Amino acid sequence: MADSKYLVGVFDDGDELLHAVEDIRHQGVKIHEAYTPFAIHGLDKALGYSFPRMGVAAFLFGITGTCCALLLTFWTMGVDWPINVGGKNFFPFPTNIPIVFELTVLLAAFGMSFTFFFMEDLGPTSKPIIFDVRSTDDKFVLAIDLAKNKLSENEISKLLKESGASEVNVKEI
Amino acid sequence: MHVVSPIRETLVLNGKTYHDVTEDICKQVEGKPTKEWKIVFGISVLVLLYGAAWVFWTWWEGLGVWGLNKTVGWAWDITNFVWWVGIGHAGTLISAVLLLFRQKWRTSINRAAEAMTIFAVICAASFIVMHMGRPWLAYFALPLPNTFGSLWVNFNSPLVWDVFAISTYFSVSCLFWYIGLIPDLATIRDRATGTRKKVYGALAIGWTGGARAWARYEDVSLILAGLSTPLVLSVHTIVSFDFATSVIPGWHTTIFPPYFVAGAIFSGFAMVQNLMLVTRVVYKLEDYVTLEHISLMNKIITLTGSVVGIAYITEFFIAAYSGVEYEQYAFINRATGPLWWSYWAMMTCNVLSPQLFWFKKVRENILVSFVMAVVVNIGMWFERFVIIVTSLHRDYLPSSWTYFTPRMGDISDYIFSFGFFFTAFFLFSKFLPVINMAEVKSVLKSSSEKYPEKKKVTA
């Protein structure tokens, strides 16, 4: 199923890759994705990605947790089976704070993480496309989809070499 | 350009390259188990089996196998529970709080510390289930309407808060640990063939290290750290509420939450220190867990030990100052009563001994650090024992005053938790990378002694 042809630039250093991304994008070449063994700060910005907003997911799930916990404690303690303890309030708010806090954190953490897995298509059965196996070890890899670029293979290859790639390979997927 | 302050100690020694990091850490996952590993693992399994037999006997026979009596209704069970939960605070604290403070030295120890946290919390939970006496009814602690109608758990009770706090803490810690593992699992997957590739491939859930994924991953980690920090503080706060909201002299104190949290960090760091000192030698990771790491851990142990010491003194002062006769007696009895030895063991181990770490020579001595970490955890066990047993054994009715003596059941069930803890830790250290490779690589340039010249790039 060789319907896409990629040029894979392999770099030895994260900073070289970061500068290469800036240079290459400046030349009008569209980059498919950069693969690195660890997070390179500023790489997402250099590739033109928008700021990750996982916090939105965390907030929405968190507020759901807060509401569920309040509903649970209020309904059980205040409505369904109120217990009279020395004439005190059936639903004293402060004593519910621990439960509300814990459920907020629980839902925020799991909700956000599973949103992340979903967005990145991560799951035990997902089949990743690996351009170079060394990209999880010590190499910094740049993949360029030739079909989506106007420049020829040789021109992009030259550009990659000039910006510091130690190897340029072709990969068909 | 990476600029490093000259006063910063190097965190990774001997000019390791990225590939060296991968090789050094993956080695123990990919290789056959060593002889040393087999021996220590075998011993832990034997200890676990011995303990498991006793735990079964405890359930079969009932809590009569423990030394509890009508006055002292909580003793080793809850002491062990609080002790293990306290130890279980270090992992998330190291990875979450030190991440928020941007402490780079966390990268070499966070993985093992988080794993340790998870196992310690399981040990703690096992004592909660054990002390119920009828563990098959453990679901009574969950908010389910009971069989006679819709009578719910009492959400005003700190014991119910505890169930929520510990289960939340446990599941969020597992999640945090797993998310940290994903890039490293992908590294192992990409080096492996055959069955190992399939297993680690499934665990790595298709991670490729794409830039967009990394950006989101960093965001997720930061927010998880932000969520875990108040969570970790809330857990021991709520554990302390189990005591502080009661009306027992010696327990009914407002100082408990911060005092318990400081104690938890104290004992947790000591346990991490113990495990890392052994792991670095067994897996030859001296270049990653350096004297600088050990010294930094010792500094935190000294700080939290001093906080705990101040809490002990404050507690004593407030009891005297309150003018409440019962409160005063509870504290005088702790220090001079029949269980005086446990009080002074706690004071010596927790307050005095960590002060030796003010000396650089002591702080950077591996053997002393190891022994001190053991001493700290003995002290912290006695702290919980002092709080629980000495507050209970002389209650309001002098005719029911008594003493507590542990029986085989108490001791063996405690041994069970060690068996489980070490078995789980050895399994972890064999099958998963004990050091977070991706994070160590990310600090290599700024914190390595001498990064190979060829790769130095200036912006």
Side-chain angles (χ1 to χ4, degrees):
Chain A
M1 188 187 94
D3 47 11
S4 304
K5 198 174 175 190
Y6 291 88
L7 262 191
V8 182
V10 181
F11 294 76
D12 292 337
D13 185 88
D15 289 338
E16 278 177 11
L17 174 87
L18 186 59
H19 297 306
V21 166
E22 283 162 358
D23 292 346
I24 290 171
R25 284 194 76 217
H26 196 69
Q27 303 284 335
V29 177
K30 284 198 184 96
I31 293 171
H32 173 66
E33 180 63 297
Y35 299 92
T36 56
F38 54 86
I40 306 283
H41 290 258
L43 187 58
D44 53 325
K45 221 173 164 185
L47 283 162
Y49 298 150
S50 56
F51 188 77
R53 284 168 310 185
M54 300 309 298
V56 176
F59 178 79
L60 292 177
F61 280 103
I63 203 87
T64 313
T66 313
C67 295
C68 289
L70 278 172
L71 210 68
L72 174 74
T73 51
F74 177 72
W75 185 71
T76 54
M77 302 297 291
V79 180
D80 194 43
W81 191 301
I83 303 168
N84 187 339
V85 182
K88 289 180 188 170
N89 278 346
F90 291 130
F91 182 69
F93 185 69
T95 62
N96 291 291
I97 289 173
I99 303 283
V100 171
F101 172 77
E102 299 300 335
L103 284 183
T104 305
V105 169
L106 185 71
L107 262 78
F110 275 86
M112 174 183 61
S113 303
F114 282 92
T115 309
F116 166 66
F117 295 157
F118 179 76
M119 288 167 88
E120 289 298 329
D121 191 26
L122 295 173
T125 54
S126 60
K127 297 261 176 293
I129 299 166
I130 295 164
F131 288 95
D132 194 314
V133 285
R134 294 167 300 170
S135 69
T136 51
D137 176 7
D138 62 342
K139 298 294 179 200
F140 301 80
V141 168
L142 206 54
I144 295 168
D145 190 347
L146 284 172
K148 286 187 184 155
N149 278 294
K150 286 180 196 133
L151 294 178
S152 73
E153 190 181 322
N154 284 339
E155 284 169 315
I156 298 176
S157 177
K158 207 175 141 224
L159 214 57
L160 278 169
K161 286 241 168 78
E162 273 169 10
S163 44
S166 57
E167 292 170 34
V168 178
N169 306 320
V170 178
K171 184 153 176 117
E172 290 183 25
I173 291 162
Chain B
M1 192 170 71
H2 289 284
V3 180
V4 182
S5 160
I7 60 162
R8 288 260 178 258
E9 294 277 343
T10 48
L11 297 175
V12 182
L13 302 177
N14 290 334
K16 297 279 180 190
T17 60
Y18 297 134
H19 186 65
D20 292 338
V21 175
T22 313
E23 287 293 334
D24 288 349
I25 315 290
C26 287
K27 200 168 52 191
Q28 106 271 352
V29 178
E30 293 165 349
K32 283 218 157 48
T34 58
K35 203 173 149 199
E36 293 87 0
W37 185 86
K38 280 183 190 159
I39 292 170
V40 285
F41 182 69
I43 295 172
S44 333
V45 171
L46 287 179
V47 173
L48 176 65
L49 287 175
Y50 166 79
W54 263 96
V55 171
F56 176 75
W57 183 241
T58 309
W59 287 355
W60 187 260
E61 192 68 9
L63 296 190
V65 302
W66 289 349
L68 302 178
N69 50 53
K70 101 178 214 314
T71 313
V72 182
W74 270 2
W76 279 40
D77 49 351
I78 301 299
T79 302
N80 298 341
F81 158 68
V82 182
W83 189 71
W84 278 117
V85 163
I87 287 170
H89 275 56
T92 308
L93 204 106
I94 286 173
S95 35
V97 180
L98 299 185
L99 178 90
L100 294 182
F101 283 109
R102 301 281 178 212
Q103 293 293 305
K104 288 178 177 168
W105 60 277
R106 78 174 195 286
T107 55
S108 303
I109 49 172
N110 57 6
R111 169 73 44 74
E114 282 171 51
M116 181 218 73
T117 286
I118 291 166
F119 308 139
V121 173
I122 296 174
C123 289
S126 75
F127 284 102
I128 288 298
V129 176
M130 267 184 239
H131 101 301
M132 288 175 170
R134 285 178 287 173
W136 50 93
L137 298 180
Y139 69 90
F140 272 30
L142 301 174
L144 301 165
N146 76 2
T147 43
F148 303 106
S150 53
L151 178 63
W152 299 87
V153 291
N154 186 356
F155 285 111
N156 298 323
S157 161
L159 299 176
V160 173
W161 304 344
D162 229 6
V163 172
F164 276 75
I166 289 172
S167 46
T168 302
Y169 181 62
F170 176 71
S171 33
V172 174
S173 296
C174 287
L175 182 72
F176 203 6
W177 181 58
Y178 178 64
I179 287 191
L181 269 167
I182 293 171
D184 285 2
L185 291 167
T187 305
I188 299 175
R189 173 200 65 199
D190 290 346
R191 290 162 56 89
T193 49
T195 318
R196 188 187 293 142
K197 194 177 185 76
K198 280 204 183 108
V199 173
Y200 285 96
L203 289 172
I205 58 173
W207 179 262
T208 53
R212 194 191 296 270
W214 269 121
R216 284 178 180 151
Y217 178 92
E218 290 276 287
D219 203 29
V220 165
S221 303
L222 188 65
I223 295 167
L224 272 183
L227 287 168
S228 305
T229 303
L231 178 66
V232 77
L233 301 183
S234 85
V235 175
H236 229 54
T237 299
I238 290 173
V239 169
S240 81
F241 284 165
D242 291 346
F243 304 99
T245 58
S246 72
V247 290
I248 307 290
W251 288 5
H252 189 64
T253 2
T254 47
I255 199 181
F256 263 26
Y259 157 26
F260 267 51
V261 170
I265 300 167
F266 183 50
S267 65
F269 270 69
M271 188 58 106
V272 173
Q273 183 81 290
N274 273 339
L275 291 176
M276 287 321 288
L277 285 174
V278 175
T279 312
R280 77 193 276 273
V281 176
V282 173
Y283 293 130
K284 302 190 176 54
L285 299 171
E286 286 95 339
D287 290 335
Y288 300 96
V289 183
T290 63
L291 275 183
E292 173 68 4
H293 289 94
I294 296 167
S295 166
L296 285 164
M297 297 278 288
N298 284 337
K299 282 180 188 169
I300 293 185
I301 290 175
T302 312
L303 171 76
T304 46
S306 308
V307 173
V308 167
I310 290 170
Y312 294 158
I313 297 163
T314 311
E315 212 180 24
F316 224 104
F317 170 75
I318 293 295
Y321 188 65
S322 69
V324 180
E325 209 180 318
Y326 300 106
E327 198 72 37
Q328 286 167 347
Y329 179 73
F331 280 88
I332 295 290
N333 182 46
R334 266 183 199 181
T336 61
L339 288 158
W340 62 271
W341 49 271
S342 60
Y343 183 83
W344 293 105
M346 160 187 106
M347 278 301 214
T348 326
C349 296
N350 291 352
V351 186
L352 299 179
S353 64
Q355 303 308 324
L356 289 174
F357 283 143
W358 287 103
F359 301 101
K360 198 173 158 91
K361 272 233 166 77
V362 180
R363 206 160 62 221
E364 294 190 343
N365 184 316
I366 293 174
L367 186 67
V368 174
S369 299
F370 187 85
V371 172
M372 201 68 93
V374 175
V375 166
V376 163
N377 265 323
I378 294 173
M380 284 310 291
W381 190 88
F382 274 113
E383 180 201 295
R384 280 63 179 252
F385 181 79
V386 165
I387 292 172
I388 293 166
V389 177
T390 64
S391 304
L392 288 175
H393 85 120
R394 289 192 166 173
D395 61 2
Y396 292 103
L397 258 183
S399 63
S400 55
W401 284 9
T402 175
Y403 192 73
F404 175 79
T405 316
R407 296 177 60 197
M408 273 309 280
D410 295 278
I411 298 164
S412 305
D413 288 345
Y414 186 37
I415 291 173
F416 160 79
S417 63
F418 280 100
F420 173 80
F421 183 76
F422 286 107
T423 305
F425 191 81
F426 288 131
L427 280 176
F428 150 75
S429 70
K430 174 65 196 78
F431 294 106
L432 293 170
V434 282
I435 285 182
N436 192 329
M437 292 186 272
E439 285 199 347
V440 167
K441 286 175 195 167
S442 74
V443 301
L444 205 56
K445 263 197 177 174
S446 57
S447 307
S448 171
E449 195 174 35
K450 179 177 165 291
Y451 195 75
E453 282 305 321
K454 184 169 89 64
K455 286 164 191 169
K456 233 172 205 163
V457 171
T458 45

